[in-house]
Amino acid sequence: MRGACALLALLALAGCGRYGPPRPPGPADQVSFPRAFPQPTAAERAAEAERLRRAGLPVPPALLR
């Protein structure tokens, strides 16, 4: 019983995946955005919303912020 509990605790603590913070794939000198893609500016969001309106498509609420 102790062995099963120890095994269960070991598996629970082991987790899965790599240790440390997430890293983008590829060589470090060729990574353009090391953490996340930059957010579009207000002007870029407005231009995208206008393009969608002209095309007769619905504008997502995220572009209206």
Side-chain angles (χ1 to χ4, degrees):
M1 185 66 168
R2 284 187 185 177
C5 289
L7 179 63
L8 182 63
L10 180 66
L11 291 175
L13 293 175
C16 60
R18 298 186 304 197
Y19 63 93
R23 285 168 272 149
D29 61 339
Q30 294 180 2
V31 174
S32 300
F33 300 106
R35 298 193 187 272
F37 289 104
Q39 296 295 316
T41 63
E44 291 171 336
R45 285 194 309 269
E48 180 66 11
E50 183 59 32
R51 184 188 71 77
L52 290 172
R53 281 188 192 104
R54 276 192 238 138
L57 298 171
V59 178
L63 289 179
L64 301 176
R65 285 189 253 152

